[in-house]
Amino acid sequence: MKKETSSNSNLLMVLKDAFAIKKAPYPWTRAILAGICLSFPVMIGLLAGNFQYGLLAGIGGFTYLYTFNEPYPQRAKKLFIVALGLSASIALGILTISSPLAFTIMIGLIGAVCTFIFGALKIPGPASIFFVMVFAMTSAMPIDPTLAPSRAGLVFLGGSFSWLIAMIGWFFNPHGPETKAVKTVYLELATLICSVGTEQFNDSRERTIVSLKHADNLLLAGYVSWKTSPIFKRLYLLKEQSNSILADVLEMSAAGRTNLPVELGKSVQALAQSIDHKKKSKPLQILQSTDCDEEMNKLFSKIYHADAILNQSISRINQEIKVIRTPLKRVLLDAFDKNSIVFLSSIKYGIVLMVATMIAFSYEFDRSYWIPISCGSVMLGSTVISTFHRAIQRSIGTIVGILVASLILSTKPEGLTIALFILLLSFLTELFIVRNYAFAVTFITPNALLMAESTSQIHNIPYFATARVTDTLIGCAIGLIGVLMVGRQSASSRLSHLIAKTIRSQSQLLFQLFSKQKSSSNFEGNSTRNKMRTNLMNLKTVYSTALGEFPINKKALEFLWPAIFSIEQLGYLLDSIIKDSKRPVLSDEKLAQLLFIFETMANAVEQLQIVTNKNVPEIEGFSKIQKEIIALQDAIRLIGIR
């Protein structure tokens, strides 16, 4: 009886979470531009006397939905590839629809490949769903392979228009995303300085490191090797300087300081407020504490240097930037691993999508392409719980959306009226999707029906309502069953292995950093460094996925979090000191002891053993690393005790 009550409670919690309203700001600008991108090509088609061509070009408007707060060089490349991908999807659909087997295999490949690429490159957004949707929609079009080039061209024209709309901001603020990210780093750094010696220090440290990594990724993405603008150089140098300031703050905290001068935090905060070059503010004044020792003076001098980078002419800053990115091929190959959650999720996505398509073809459902579309949309949930949420949200949202569509279609819209409805519904979709997916589906449903089926039985309300609801429910059910069958506990079962693997990669990097070979090693682009970064990324992804598994062993995962937190902090420390030429060379005895400690921790995690903490050798000038290794030992011991 108690178990049944607990199950009912869990179900109610899932339902409650599915309809929870997120406290996210409404993206007014994005919503307006999305509406324009999807409806404007339709209006052009009307003016040109070919409404169908306009609708096809409007499909290319989905390109804009892949626009996020990324640097403009990255945005330009990404959206161009998305426009090409949507065009290729519709062409492949038209070419393969005559063969159900080829169509089924192709939709699985498109879903798997797109999911893998978006996951491996950590690209936010709708991932593969619009490529799958555009491909699946061709099953409702007349079978005529000769139309593939013209229809693909129309979709690409619509995508090109979206590209232009998305790039407008470059003319007004070409480095807006990078500027905002660097400013956030300094704001978090100011908060961290004020939190030294308090209970908020660890949380603040984590937020600062996350913001610094985010800024680093944005600047890497925005770097153009053949043309480095003065603004970009200034931002990059500011980011590098913030890294140096953070290292000193962490070192002071590790050495036992319980507080830092108030003037220090205020100066960094003032520096942050001055970073946005578009806002005119009073000249920055760096406050100086009256009670400073040598270490504190050194820290203040770094803030003075950051001020100089910000305010002096870039030609007077005698400092070159060296940006080295991990090759795209290396990133994709690292994710192409049997233990990679990205790779496994991609395979799962493709297989279940093919099953959904086979079922849709086998039983000859009306408008059967909504089955794989609904299945693919539900499986976009990163965890089992989020998949449940999306299934519930999509089912209820579709039913309500059918009612909205019925009201719209009862007015028998044509031509310009349809285009205006597409504008309104696209706007409402993007406006509400940040609050709750169910609200968005309420507007996605009538919008998709207007765009996809405006020439076939659009006024037969009972026909399309029954078909759409039935297909959506079947697609959601297939997606849920697929996730439960192949991924219910796949993430949590890999955590121990990934923790041990990440610890071992950190020991290898630590050895290279502090051994005699350090002087001859080029750590920029170093394979050991890249391996550690990849392992850290996989570990965090798998842990986040495990938190959403069903059923969830929350207590076991809570025991693992301190270890994962320490591993992440240690990874940052090792990564941040690579450019520090003052690193000491440790004796063979100290290195051997450190390697032994790391291997002991890795074995303890894999075998769930309780181990006695070992004495961690001192690393002169880098006590923060020694302290983090001690913290990691304590966390690993907790796992064994559990």
Side-chain angles (χ1 to χ4, degrees):
M1 186 73 179
K2 186 177 180 181
K3 186 175 182 181
E4 185 179 346
T5 304
S6 177
S7 299
N8 291 335
S9 177
N10 288 336
L11 181 59
L12 287 172
M13 185 61 71
V14 170
L15 290 171
K16 183 180 178 181
D17 290 344
F19 294 102
I21 308 300
K22 298 177 183 176
K23 293 181 179 179
Y26 288 112
W28 293 100
T29 302
R30 177 180 172 84
I32 292 169
L33 293 179
I36 291 172
C37 288
L38 282 145
S39 62
F40 185 75
V42 181
M43 295 178 185
I44 295 297
L46 275 171
L47 292 174
N50 198 317
F51 182 57
Q52 292 307 306
Y53 280 8
L55 284 172
L56 282 167
I59 291 173
F62 289 134
T63 299
Y64 182 80
L65 303 184
Y66 289 84
T67 304
F68 289 90
N69 190 39
E70 65 267 297
Y72 284 102
Q74 183 188 42
R75 182 181 299 186
K77 290 181 285 187
K78 182 181 73 172
L79 295 187
F80 177 73
I81 293 171
V82 168
L84 282 178
L86 292 174
S87 304
S89 294
I90 200 167
L92 289 170
I94 292 169
L95 293 173
T96 58
I97 189 56
S98 58
S99 170
L101 179 60
F103 191 87
T104 300
I105 293 172
M106 187 57 66
I107 198 172
L109 283 173
I110 289 173
V113 170
C114 292
T115 300
F116 177 78
I117 291 173
F118 276 80
L121 301 180
K122 296 291 181 185
I123 300 174
S128 62
I129 188 59
F130 287 111
F131 299 95
V132 171
M133 179 185 289
V134 169
F135 180 86
M137 283 166 58
T138 58
S139 64
M141 297 178 181
I143 299 176
D144 187 353
T146 61
L147 294 176
S150 60
R151 291 185 170 178
L154 287 167
V155 171
F156 184 74
L157 283 175
S160 299
F161 175 72
S162 295
W163 186 95
L164 290 172
I165 294 295
M167 293 299 294
I168 286 176
W170 181 83
F171 293 98
F172 306 102
N173 192 5
H175 295 288
E178 301 99 309
T179 302
K180 183 179 178 181
V182 174
K183 180 177 180 177
T184 301
V185 171
Y186 277 88
L187 287 173
E188 292 292 352
L189 197 53
T191 304
L192 177 69
I193 289 170
C194 296
S195 70
V196 170
T198 69
E199 294 180 355
Q200 291 75 40
F201 178 75
N202 282 338
D203 289 340
S204 182
R205 176 177 62 167
E206 183 180 13
R207 289 196 306 271
T208 306
I209 290 174
V210 168
S211 65
L212 186 54
K213 287 181 178 178
H214 176 64
D216 190 45
N217 290 335
L218 278 186
L219 288 164
L220 286 174
Y223 175 64
V224 180
S225 58
W226 48 271
K227 184 181 179 182
T228 303
S229 71
I231 295 174
F232 179 88
K233 182 177 181 180
R234 193 187 303 278
L235 290 170
Y236 190 85
L237 292 175
L238 280 170
K239 186 270 299 181
E240 290 287 280
Q241 192 65 11
S242 72
N243 196 25
S244 180
I245 294 170
L246 174 59
D248 280 6
V249 172
L250 294 180
E251 186 66 29
M252 288 179 181
S253 175
R257 282 188 184 262
T258 56
N259 67 321
L260 296 177
V262 176
E263 294 84 357
L264 194 65
K266 288 183 177 180
S267 295
V268 175
Q269 189 170 31
L271 187 64
Q273 298 298 340
S274 302
I275 285 176
D276 191 343
H277 65 279
K278 286 200 135 329
K279 293 181 182 177
K280 299 199 180 203
S281 56
K282 296 178 182 179
L284 173 64
Q285 291 184 347
I286 303 297
L287 305 176
Q288 184 70 49
S289 175
T290 55
D291 184 19
C292 282
D293 53 23
E294 185 178 347
E295 284 186 334
M296 202 58 64
N297 285 328
K298 178 183 173 185
L299 190 52
F300 269 107
S301 69
K302 289 188 175 183
I303 297 174
Y304 276 116
H305 185 56
D307 176 39
I309 293 172
L310 180 62
N311 294 302
Q312 286 186 9
S313 169
I314 203 69
S315 60
R316 295 181 59 190
I317 302 173
N318 187 23
Q319 196 172 343
E320 294 298 321
I321 64 171
K322 186 179 181 182
V323 181
I324 298 179
R325 291 183 286 202
T326 304
L328 180 62
K329 180 181 177 182
R330 180 74 264 161
V331 175
L332 294 175
L333 285 175
D334 286 341
F336 197 75
D337 182 274
K338 64 179 181 179
N339 291 311
S340 167
I341 197 73
V342 170
F343 176 71
L344 295 171
S345 297
S346 304
I347 298 297
K348 174 183 70 178
Y349 190 90
I351 291 173
V352 177
L353 206 55
M354 284 192 284
V355 170
T357 308
M358 283 190 286
I359 291 173
F361 276 123
S362 300
Y363 294 95
E364 298 182 355
F365 292 95
D366 289 330
R367 292 305 189 249
S368 59
Y369 63 88
W370 287 114
I371 293 178
I373 290 173
S374 296
C375 176
S377 178
V378 165
M379 291 186 68
L380 281 181
S382 58
T383 66
V384 174
I385 295 296
S386 61
T387 302
F388 269 109
H389 288 167
R390 289 184 75 90
I392 295 167
Q393 292 164 341
R394 189 165 185 87
S395 300
I396 301 299
T398 297
I399 293 170
V400 177
I402 289 294
L403 297 176
V404 175
S406 300
L407 290 173
I408 293 173
L409 294 173
S410 65
T411 65
K412 298 183 179 181
E414 293 181 357
L416 182 61
T417 306
I418 291 177
L420 292 175
F421 270 124
I422 290 173
L423 171 64
L424 176 63
L425 293 169
S426 299
F427 166 77
L428 292 174
T429 297
E430 288 304 305
L431 194 65
F432 286 105
I433 200 167
V434 297
R435 293 298 182 97
N436 188 282
Y437 182 64
F439 290 168
V441 175
T442 300
F443 304 112
I444 290 172
T445 298
N447 197 21
L449 288 167
L450 284 170
M451 295 186 69
E453 305 188 41
S454 61
T455 59
S456 55
Q457 305 188 60
I458 195 167
H459 302 303
N460 189 341
I461 297 174
Y463 173 82
F464 80 76
T466 303
R468 178 70 200 271
V469 172
T470 302
D471 293 349
T472 297
L473 293 176
I474 292 171
C476 291
I478 294 170
L480 273 175
I481 293 169
V483 169
L484 288 172
M485 287 181 64
V486 299
R488 190 169 66 172
Q489 292 290 320
S490 60
S492 56
S493 64
R494 290 182 175 84
L495 274 173
S496 295
H497 168 76
L498 276 172
I499 290 174
K501 187 176 181 180
T502 307
I503 289 173
R504 289 190 174 107
S505 64
Q506 289 183 333
S507 73
Q508 293 167 8
L509 181 58
L510 183 141
F511 176 79
Q512 288 193 9
L513 286 169
F514 294 104
S515 66
K516 293 177 182 177
Q517 63 174 304
K518 79 177 184 75
S519 58
S520 59
S521 297
N522 177 21
F523 289 101
E524 297 296 333
N526 180 275
S527 61
T528 305
R529 179 196 196 189
N530 291 337
K531 185 194 296 184
M532 184 198 72
R533 285 179 165 183
T534 301
N535 289 338
L536 266 172
M537 180 182 69
N538 286 339
L539 176 58
K540 290 184 67 179
T541 301
V542 172
Y543 183 77
S544 298
T545 304
L547 286 172
E549 290 180 335
F550 188 81
I552 179 175
N553 189 345
K554 192 172 182 179
K555 189 173 181 180
L557 292 175
E558 285 175 352
F559 269 99
L560 291 176
W561 171 245
I564 294 173
F565 176 79
S566 284
I567 288 171
E568 184 182 11
Q569 301 301 308
L570 182 58
Y572 164 74
L573 293 174
L574 293 174
D575 204 2
S576 64
I577 65 171
I578 281 175
K579 297 179 181 179
D580 192 339
S581 59
K582 297 179 181 179
R583 298 189 311 273
V585 175
L586 299 181
S587 65
D588 291 344
E589 291 77 13
K590 284 188 175 183
L591 284 172
Q593 178 67 8
L594 286 167
L595 293 178
F596 175 68
I597 290 169
F598 275 88
E599 187 59 31
T600 301
M601 290 191 292
N603 282 330
V605 173
E606 285 181 324
Q607 301 172 23
L608 292 178
Q609 295 177 339
I610 301 176
V611 294
T612 305
N613 287 359
K614 306 291 188 298
N615 180 44
V616 180
E618 182 182 351
I619 304 176
E620 186 180 350
F622 296 91
S623 57
K624 55 185 179 292
I625 293 179
Q626 179 192 25
K627 185 176 180 180
E628 204 57 62
I629 295 173
I630 293 171
L632 181 55
Q633 278 194 115
D634 292 335
I636 299 295
R637 182 174 171 79
L638 279 177
I639 296 174
I641 292 173
R642 174 185 64 85

